[in-house]
């Protein structure tokens, strides 16, 4: 049986147990006879899960439901410029609000299809997002008239079928008697499996009355229990391999350690065992980069030589939450043999060549920490060179990538949220050590350009929920043009991110992949410092804009106390050389270019 099948079976058992518990409470509850609308029930469940913001665009099939959202005192309707941006915002909100979900609401057909790219990205990168779709009434769905937003051929289920490719669970709420249970099932799957889910809410069902008693029982969102006998065997095997490795063991942390909520457990593991710890690019800031036993980012052959040597020479690698995509592994250049690898995942464990379905890391890690703690005295003998990224001395005043990233590294503070766009920004900031308790956000696997602008909106809201510091975005001049409208939403809500626009005249990552001088990698050069004023701000009052062209100008701005306080939304145009790029991007582009093989064969 596959790990996915075992995990699904365990989840179904947990759901049935929860259902029994809920029924008992409903029967005993003093509010069992009280009723509420289905739409209200959904909103109450979201509030119970800690959701404070809902993103999306109004449409005629979701307007009635949005009344329930707007009237609730504990959740805000944000209102985005388009559905794609809204999906990005829900994604960013969920990434920062670890353990909670993002929510995007669209209308039938035209709205939900626009959001689908954002939902697919969340699926790809294990981000829990609920997609609520307001759809025609159950009567209309049965009669199948040629309604607006349909394909004109009676296929009212076409978009639902499309959504199944990008969500872990779906529900069509066409029966009020099962609506509450279906809502609970889908929400539970979203949280437990850290993937997007899809909910069709017909206009009439949203206003159907149902018993309110289920709300007395909180959703069960803990991962399923591991089989005790198999778990014990797994622990014994890991301890045996650690003993054989004679202290030459390292921990490699990746994205799913964040997405599946084990950062705390991982911290206890590396602190109590003293094992050296490294991160993959998608796992950046899963481990505090100020920790004395943290060695830096491992990304296969792209890694800095001293990091590459330490990781690849270890006799045993304890890999936690790996997502082995091309950009996350240096184009699949991980030189770590399977026989030296243990992999911990949310729903399975691998020890060398053996797989153990259903043994999830959330419950395994505390027990593993306890078993490995006696090895600490030997583990700390294994040297971990501290990775540093000093600002280089260059003989010109151009803002180069080699200079930029270590320089802005000095600007970052503890608890900052740092969002980096696919391309030069995400590759550039990788080498920069970030302060304690800061959070790095990027979309390295899905890589949809423009994602960061919407994600920054969601991240900034989540940062307020969590009491975090500044939200800082690095985005290219090409990428921001796709989703720039969300700056207006940030202004309307009084959010105060710092937005660094890297103006290097086009799609730099594409130039390095193919077509350095091709016109298709060129873009229009906007008047960047006019954007905030155009999109609803008042320059000098509730927004500020800057252009910097030299190292001296940028350093002066970064050292300015008023700028650093981020009291208003600020946009900085960084004018940079057209054909410059971070070291890691150049190497990755060379590797990807060989893989793509855009060369004619004769």
């Amino acid at each position: 049986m596959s790990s996915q099948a075992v995990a699904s079976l365990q989840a179904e058992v947990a759901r049935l147990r929860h259902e029994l518990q809920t029924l008992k409470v409903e029967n005993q509850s003093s509010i069992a006879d009280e009723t509420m609308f289905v739409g209200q029930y959904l909103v109450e469940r979201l509030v119970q899960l800690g959701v404070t913001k809902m993103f999306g665009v109004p449409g005629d099939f979701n307007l009635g439901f949005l009344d329930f959202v707007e009237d609730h005192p504990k959740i805000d309707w944000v209102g985005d410029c388009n559905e794609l941006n809204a999906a990005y915002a829900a994604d960013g909100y969920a990434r920062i609000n670890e353990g909670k979900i993002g929510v995007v609401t669209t209308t039938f057909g035209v709205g939900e299809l626009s959001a689908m790219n954002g939902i697919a990205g969340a699926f790809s990168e294990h981000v829990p997002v609920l997609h609520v779709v307001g759809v025609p009434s159950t009567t209309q769905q049965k009669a199948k008239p040629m309604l607006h937003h349909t394909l004109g051929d009676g296929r009212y289920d076409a978009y639902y079928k499309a959504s199944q490719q990008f969500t872990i669970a779906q529900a069509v709420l066409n029966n009020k008697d099962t609506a509450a249970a279906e809502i609970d099932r889908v929400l539970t799957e979203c949280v437990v499996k850290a993937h997007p889910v899809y909910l069709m809410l017909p206009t009439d069902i949203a206003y159907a009355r149902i018993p309110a008693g289920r709300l007395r029982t909180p959703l069960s969102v803990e991962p399923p229990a591991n089989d005790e006998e198999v778990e014990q065997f797994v622990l014994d095997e890991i301890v045996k391999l650690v003993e054989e490795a004679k202290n030459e063991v390292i921990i490699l942390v990746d994205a799913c350690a964040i997405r599946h909520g084990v950062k705390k457990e991982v911290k206890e593991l590396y602190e109590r065992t003293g094992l050296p710890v490294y991160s993959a690019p998608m796992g950046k800031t899963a481990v505090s980069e100020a920790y004395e036993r943290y060695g830096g980012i491992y990304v296969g052959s792209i890694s800095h030589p001293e990091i590459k040597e330490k990781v690849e020479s270890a006799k045993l690698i304890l890999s936690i939450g790996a997502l082995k995509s091309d950009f996350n592994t240096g184009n699949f250049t991980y030189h770590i043999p399977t026989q030296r690898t243990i992999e911990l995942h949310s729903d399975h464990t691998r020890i060398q060549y053996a797989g153990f379905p259903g043994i999830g890391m959330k419950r395994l890690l505390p027990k593993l920490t306890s078993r490995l703690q006696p090895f600490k005295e030997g583990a700390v003998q294994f040297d971990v060179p501290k990775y540093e990224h000093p600002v280089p001395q260059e003989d010109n005043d151009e803002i180069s990538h080699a200079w930029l990233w270590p320089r802005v590294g000095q600007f970052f503070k503890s608890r900052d949220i740092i969002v980096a766009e696919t391309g030069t920004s995400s590759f550039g900031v990788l080498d920069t050590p970030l302060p304690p308790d800061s959070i790095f956000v990027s979309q390295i696997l899905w890589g949809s350009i423009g994602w960061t602008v919407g994600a920054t909106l969601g991240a900034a809201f989540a940062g307020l929920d969590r009491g975090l510091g500044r939200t800082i975005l690095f985005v290219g001049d090409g990428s921001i043009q796709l989703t720039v409208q969300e700056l207006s939403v940030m202004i309307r809500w009084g959010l105060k991110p710092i937005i660094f626009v890297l103006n290097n005249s086009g799609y730099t990552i594409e130039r390095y992949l193919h077509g350095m001088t091709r016109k298709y990698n060129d873009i229009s050069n906007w008047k960047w410092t006019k954007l905030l004023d155009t999109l609803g701000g008042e320059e000098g009052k509730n927004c500020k804009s800057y252009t910097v062209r030299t190292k001296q100008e940028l350093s002066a701005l970064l050292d300015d106390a008023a700028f650093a306080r981020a009291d208003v939304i600020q946009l900085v145009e960084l004018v940079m050389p057209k054909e410059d790029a971070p070291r890691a991007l150049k190497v990755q582009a060379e590797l990807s270019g060989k893989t793509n093989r855009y060369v004619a064969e004769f």
Side-chain angles (χ1 to χ4, degrees):
M1 185 179 289
S2 70
S3 61
Q4 185 65 44
V6 171
S8 297
L9 185 60
Q10 290 178 325
E12 180 64 13
V13 170
R15 186 189 71 79
L16 291 172
R17 284 176 179 162
H18 181 261
E19 191 69 17
L20 286 172
Q21 182 184 1
T22 303
L23 289 171
K24 289 178 182 177
V25 172
E26 279 188 332
N27 291 334
Q28 299 169 5
S29 173
S30 61
I31 65 168
D33 295 331
E34 294 183 18
T35 63
M36 66 194 322
F37 297 119
V38 170
Q40 289 177 309
Y41 182 90
L42 173 56
V43 174
E44 289 294 342
R45 276 303 197 202
L46 295 177
V47 170
Q48 287 181 357
L49 290 174
V51 176
T52 64
K53 298 291 183 291
M54 183 182 292
F55 304 92
V57 177
D60 57 344
F61 295 121
N62 66 27
L63 294 174
F65 170 65
L66 296 188
D67 287 344
F68 298 133
V69 178
E70 187 168 314
D71 292 344
H72 199 288
K74 293 184 178 180
I75 192 168
D76 293 316
W77 170 255
V78 173
D80 297 88
C81 296
N82 62 56
E83 292 86 357
L84 175 61
N85 292 355
Y88 289 162
D91 181 320
Y93 179 88
R95 288 182 193 238
I96 300 302
N97 254 332
E98 295 167 15
K100 298 180 182 178
I101 68 173
V103 185
V104 55
T105 298
T106 66
T107 198
F108 182 59
V110 292
E112 59 183 307
L113 292 181
S114 293
M116 199 164 285
N117 176 38
I119 300 298
F123 185 94
S124 173
E125 302 216 348
H126 293 237
V127 182
V129 172
L130 167 67
H131 186 185
V132 181
V133 182
V135 301
S137 70
T138 53
T139 302
Q140 289 174 314
Q141 290 185 56
K142 289 175 183 176
K144 296 181 172 49
M146 193 179 291
L147 209 59
H148 63 287
H149 298 342
T150 69
L151 298 169
D153 60 2
R155 288 185 295 149
Y156 276 62
D157 63 348
Y159 318 129
Y160 171 78
K161 288 180 177 178
S163 77
Q164 291 177 312
Q165 307 303 312
F166 312 111
T167 53
I168 199 74
Q170 311 81 29
V172 181
L173 303 183
N174 54 14
N175 184 338
K176 71 170 187 172
D177 296 329
T178 60
E182 285 291 87
I183 289 170
D184 290 355
R185 173 182 66 84
V186 166
L187 290 177
T188 300
E189 292 281 281
C190 186
V191 178
V192 172
K193 295 185 178 178
H195 272 78
V197 295
Y198 176 92
L199 201 60
M200 279 180 65
L201 182 60
T203 54
D204 55 335
I205 295 295
Y207 277 79
R209 284 198 169 273
I210 59 173
R214 291 182 66 97
L215 290 174
R216 293 287 297 272
T217 306
L219 295 179
S220 177
V221 294
E222 289 298 313
N226 294 336
D227 181 282
E228 290 184 12
E229 189 175 348
V230 177
E231 184 181 66
Q232 187 61 46
F233 178 81
V234 165
L235 290 167
D236 290 343
E237 288 298 300
I238 295 175
V239 170
K240 188 188 305 180
L241 289 173
V242 171
E243 287 176 336
E244 292 173 359
K246 296 180 180 178
N247 302 321
E248 294 188 39
V249 182
I250 66 141
I251 300 170
L252 180 60
V253 185
D254 207 343
C256 285
I258 304 170
R259 307 287 193 271
H260 292 275
V262 297
K263 281 173 65 175
K264 177 184 175 183
E265 290 83 356
V266 171
K267 182 180 181 183
E268 290 177 352
L269 175 67
Y270 63 71
E271 287 187 343
R272 292 185 183 179
T273 64
L275 292 171
V277 58
Y278 295 80
S279 292
M282 290 178 70
K284 188 173 175 68
T285 66
V287 177
S288 171
E289 299 192 345
Y291 175 57
E292 64 270 17
R293 303 282 291 164
Y294 172 75
I297 300 289
Y298 175 69
V299 55
S301 63
I302 297 177
S303 310
H304 283 269
E306 63 275 18
I307 296 174
K308 184 175 185 293
E309 192 276 329
K310 283 291 183 181
V311 172
E312 295 179 1
S313 66
K315 291 182 179 177
L316 187 66
I317 292 91
L318 190 56
S319 170
I320 303 176
L323 274 177
K324 296 180 181 178
S325 71
D326 52 354
F327 279 16
N328 204 35
T329 63
N331 219 53
F332 310 113
T333 58
Y334 267 26
H335 293 292
I336 304 174
T338 303
Q339 64 266 29
R340 287 198 275 131
T341 305
I342 296 166
E343 292 188 12
L344 307 186
H345 295 277
S346 62
D347 60 0
H348 72 283
T349 299
R350 291 196 63 83
I351 300 176
Q352 297 173 320
Y353 297 98
F356 299 90
I359 303 299
M361 59 185 173
K362 181 75 171 178
R363 298 185 186 273
L364 181 69
L365 276 167
K367 298 172 185 177
L368 182 61
T369 298
S370 179
R371 293 286 300 273
L372 296 184
Q373 195 165 346
F375 293 93
K376 183 171 185 177
E377 185 177 349
V380 295
Q381 307 299 321
F382 199 58
D383 183 43
V384 185
K386 185 167 181 61
Y387 177 69
E388 296 177 325
H389 197 202
V391 180
Q393 297 298 314
E394 296 183 336
D395 59 2
N396 62 69
D397 211 21
E398 280 188 335
I399 302 174
S400 67
H401 281 281
W403 179 88
L404 171 65
W405 299 108
R407 179 62 187 88
V408 295
Q410 298 173 340
F411 174 71
F412 297 143
K413 299 178 182 178
S414 178
R415 301 179 68 78
D416 278 346
I417 300 169
I418 296 129
V419 187
E421 179 62 62
T422 292
T424 53
S425 297
S426 61
F427 278 97
V429 79
L430 277 183
D431 287 339
T432 302
L434 300 181
D437 299 316
S438 58
I439 300 177
F440 174 70
V441 182
S442 190
Q443 198 191 52
I444 292 172
L445 173 52
W446 186 245
S448 183
I449 65 170
W451 168 84
T452 55
V453 184
T456 295
L457 172 66
F461 276 125
L464 292 175
D465 284 357
R466 291 187 56 187
L468 297 175
R470 305 170 301 181
T471 301
I472 303 170
L473 167 63
F474 294 92
V475 60
D477 53 345
S479 295
I480 195 174
Q481 292 191 8
L482 278 76
T483 50
V484 69
Q485 308 98 311
E486 292 314 294
L487 298 183
S488 67
V489 182
M490 298 176 199
I491 293 168
R492 175 161 55 90
W493 279 91
L495 299 174
K496 303 167 184 177
I498 301 174
I499 301 147
F500 290 96
V501 178
L502 281 58
N503 184 354
N504 48 17
S505 305
Y507 300 123
T508 298
I509 187 172
E510 310 292 7
R511 294 191 198 281
Y512 272 89
L513 287 168
H514 184 79
M516 181 62 76
T517 60
R518 289 289 185 175
K519 293 179 181 178
Y520 49 66
N521 286 326
D522 296 338
I523 62 168
S524 300
N525 186 33
W526 289 3
K527 295 179 180 178
W528 300 103
T529 55
K530 302 291 185 182
L531 273 181
L532 297 180
D533 204 47
T534 300
L535 294 172
E538 292 184 65
E539 185 65 35
K541 293 184 179 180
N542 66 351
C543 65
K544 292 181 181 178
S545 304
Y546 314 84
T547 296
V548 293
R549 301 175 182 275
T550 66
K551 293 182 173 74
Q552 184 177 355
E553 289 175 349
L554 179 55
S555 282
L557 182 62
L558 296 177
D559 291 339
D560 183 84
F563 175 76
R565 280 198 307 272
D567 293 329
V568 296
I569 185 172
Q570 298 175 102
L571 185 146
V572 182
E573 177 190 8
L574 297 175
V575 180
M576 303 182 68
K578 182 177 181 179
E579 296 182 3
D580 187 28
R583 176 200 64 85
L585 186 148
K586 293 177 182 178
V587 179
Q588 176 65 59
E590 183 179 353
L591 293 170
S592 296
K594 290 177 181 177
T595 303
N596 293 339
R597 295 184 67 189
Y598 287 124
V599 179
E601 295 183 1
F602 298 96

